[in-house]
Amino acid sequence: MAKNPAGRPARAPRRTSGLSRDLIIRTAIGILDEGGESALTIRALTIRLSTGYGALYHHVADRNDLLTGATDEIITGVLSGTATDTDPRAALRALALGLFDAVEAHPWVGRELSREPWRPALLDFYEAVGRLLDALAVPEDALFDAAGTFMSFVLGAGAQSAANASHLAAATTDRDTFLGATAGRWSGLDPSKYPFVRATVTRLRAHDDREQFLAGVDIFLRGVAGDA
Amino acid sequence: MAKNPAGRPARAPRRTSGLSRDLIIRTAIGILDEGGESALTIRALTIRLSTGYGALYHHVADRNDLLTGATDEIITGVLSGTATDTDPRAALRALALGLFDAVEAHPWVGRELSREPWRPALLDFYEAVGRLLDALAVPEDALFDAAGTFMSFVLGAGAQSAANASHLAAATTDRDTFLGATAGRWSGLDPSKYPFVRATVTRLRAHDDREQFLAGVDIFLRGVAGDA
DNA sequence: ACCTGAACACCGTTCAAGT
DNA sequence: ACCTGAACACCGTTCAAGT
């Protein structure tokens, strides 16, 4: 149905409801969630929104704007859903876990944040972390290093977990098969050269990214403010 | 000089020295270092190697193979240059700093590692970390979480620092101007809403990524095995 | 076996033209 | 003001043809 028989170019029905940056970003998030970063093409967006290229470019600057806008939207959602007025340790755990879960749910966010860190939405996150560490009585001259370290760890763990999630999605197999294959590959390594990796294998099947992440948060908290 | 006047297609002089996967990867690293991931096009590679498309595809599978191969090469270099037979704490610091410096020197490596974690070369890194943590008398049931956390932090901090480095390269300005602009932007934030971010501003100009990274490593070491 | 380069099927983005 | 879609300048990859 690309052309009509009369030779006049076919014309898609004009949208009745107006386009908006918000609608475009939300649609982009849908495409990103389904197919990852590479699935977000301008063409795919025009089709899903049944509109033209120019219409999109009227509301967003370019594809990059689309990606940062989508990322901001996700991060903002994390913060608005997390209470920070409880015990500082609990609040830091909740904040970290909120970002971690968001990145697991939207694996493309992790890579986006490593491309464009210090987006406005992440600034709110950093601010909250800083205040909570201050409330934990972290000495002032250690506060900035501690906050930066916390951000690096949370984003790093999120990105890594997201990468696993992406590979999981790419492999059409389920999680156990994927981990099993990894374990199998690692088992094939020379035991004398890779004793630790091989010891990890026996744990891998029961491995829970989220639990390991929380264990990491606790290591950080102990390191930064004595025993958690 | 696309065509010669006689209408016969111009033909580039045939390479005298043979192509090899190794030469291709090394050339790719050069392009990546100069222009980042987007600069690595197959066309750019053929030009720099004065060869054709098919020649490249004869030695590497595709662009992805090029990227992972280049990343492996860098990571392998880090490990071969780091001694791990000293005091475990010192060795962990050296190992972490080696990866951090490599990512700073080759910013594209950080994003690549977040796309393809657990490359063989990183396995060696993980193995070394696990053994060193064991040598630090980290209890066995905490060893795997600790090693994973360490990896996440090192990769996360590296990626973040690399993102800064990329922006620094994109902005043709120097580091002080860039940090000054960021500080200026942050200073404009509502002081009652962002007290911590604003307090960070005064530190930002004197900020040293490498020092903050080492401070983070020490937080981790304290958290994982008592006072460092 | 190794290499060449035209050709193909995509991209993001622009812009004259429509309402 | 908002939208359409042909056109442009790129991509990565393939493959018949050369040596």
Side-chain angles (χ1 to χ4, degrees):
Chain A
M1 50 154 92
K3 304 275 175 201
N4 68 21
R8 289 169 284 131
R11 189 164 277 266
R14 176 172 275 248
R15 289 182 57 79
T16 50
S17 58
L19 225 42
S20 70
R21 179 181 167 85
D22 202 62
L23 175 62
I24 293 172
I25 299 279
R26 286 207 317 273
T27 308
I29 289 175
I31 295 175
L32 287 163
D33 285 347
E34 285 166 31
E37 203 225 278
S38 64
L40 180 65
T41 65
I42 307 293
R43 250 159 254 251
L45 253 189
T46 61
I47 291 167
R48 193 167 296 200
L49 288 165
S50 41
T51 184
Y53 303 113
L56 289 182
Y57 282 95
H58 193 268
H59 293 276
V60 298
D62 50 23
R63 185 171 183 271
N64 189 59
D65 186 25
L66 228 37
L67 282 165
T68 56
T71 305
D72 288 351
E73 176 78 14
I74 301 292
I75 304 296
T76 304
V78 170
L79 272 155
S80 68
T82 312
T84 56
D85 54 354
T86 54
D87 164 61
R89 274 176 230 274
L92 278 167
R93 285 196 192 93
L95 218 46
L97 203 55
L99 192 50
F100 184 83
D101 285 342
V103 171
E104 278 241 300
H106 312 280
W108 49 273
V109 169
R111 275 180 62 69
E112 260 314 289
L113 283 178
S114 85
R115 203 172 62 89
E116 288 276 355
W118 303 124
R119 300 253 75 216
L122 257 197
L123 226 54
D124 288 311
F125 195 94
Y126 178 72
E127 176 70 29
V129 168
R131 284 194 223 181
L132 288 166
L133 287 172
D134 191 38
L136 269 183
V138 173
E140 206 204 315
D141 62 333
L143 207 50
F144 300 97
D145 287 345
T149 298
F150 189 74
M151 295 298 289
S152 291
F153 166 64
V154 172
L155 292 175
Q160 198 153 324
S161 166
N164 291 339
S166 298
H167 286 189
L168 210 55
T172 45
T173 69
D174 66 336
R175 175 182 172 81
D176 285 349
T177 312
F178 173 73
L179 287 181
T182 305
R185 197 148 20 90
W186 290 15
S187 308
L189 296 169
D190 181 351
S192 64
K193 235 187 122 190
Y194 295 96
F196 184 70
V197 172
R198 284 182 53 97
T200 307
V201 171
T202 60
R203 298 209 151 218
L204 203 58
R205 282 168 204 277
H207 172 81
D208 180 336
D209 277 352
R210 214 158 173 269
E211 268 175 36
Q212 176 157 321
F213 176 70
L214 281 174
V217 172
D218 286 343
I219 289 172
F220 169 82
L221 288 175
R222 264 197 307 278
V224 96
D227 32 57
Chain B
M1 52 155 86
K3 305 275 175 197
N4 67 20
R8 289 171 285 131
R11 189 164 277 266
R14 177 172 274 249
R15 288 182 58 79
T16 50
S17 59
L19 226 42
S20 69
R21 179 181 168 86
D22 202 61
L23 175 61
I24 293 172
I25 299 278
R26 285 206 319 272
T27 308
I29 289 175
I31 295 176
L32 286 164
D33 284 347
E34 285 166 32
E37 203 224 279
S38 63
L40 180 65
T41 65
I42 306 294
R43 250 159 253 251
L45 252 189
T46 60
I47 291 167
R48 194 167 294 201
L49 288 166
S50 42
T51 185
Y53 303 113
L56 290 182
Y57 282 95
H58 194 267
H59 294 277
V60 298
D62 49 22
R63 186 171 182 271
N64 189 59
D65 187 26
L66 229 37
L67 282 165
T68 56
T71 305
D72 287 352
E73 176 78 13
I74 301 292
I75 304 297
T76 304
V78 170
L79 271 155
S80 66
T82 312
T84 55
D85 53 355
T86 55
D87 163 61
R89 274 177 232 271
L92 278 166
R93 284 197 193 93
L95 218 46
L97 203 55
L99 191 51
F100 184 82
D101 285 342
V103 170
E104 279 241 300
H106 313 280
W108 49 272
V109 169
R111 276 180 60 70
E112 259 315 288
L113 283 178
S114 86
R115 204 173 61 89
E116 286 277 354
W118 303 124
R119 301 252 73 217
L122 258 197
L123 226 55
D124 287 311
F125 195 94
Y126 178 73
E127 175 71 29
V129 167
R131 283 194 225 180
L132 288 166
L133 287 172
D134 192 38
L136 269 182
V138 173
E140 207 205 315
D141 62 333
L143 208 51
F144 301 96
D145 288 344
T149 298
F150 189 75
M151 296 297 288
S152 290
F153 167 64
V154 172
L155 293 175
Q160 197 153 325
S161 167
N164 291 339
S166 298
H167 286 190
L168 209 54
T172 47
T173 69
D174 65 337
R175 173 181 174 83
D176 286 350
T177 313
F178 174 72
L179 288 181
T182 305
R185 197 148 20 90
W186 290 14
S187 309
L189 295 170
D190 181 350
S192 64
K193 236 188 125 191
Y194 296 96
F196 185 71
V197 173
R198 284 181 55 96
T200 307
V201 171
T202 60
R203 299 209 151 220
L204 202 59
R205 282 169 205 276
H207 172 82
D208 180 337
D209 276 353
R210 216 157 172 270
E211 269 175 36
Q212 176 158 321
F213 176 70
L214 281 175
V217 172
D218 285 344
I219 289 172
F220 169 81
L221 288 175
R222 264 198 307 278
V224 94
D227 32 57

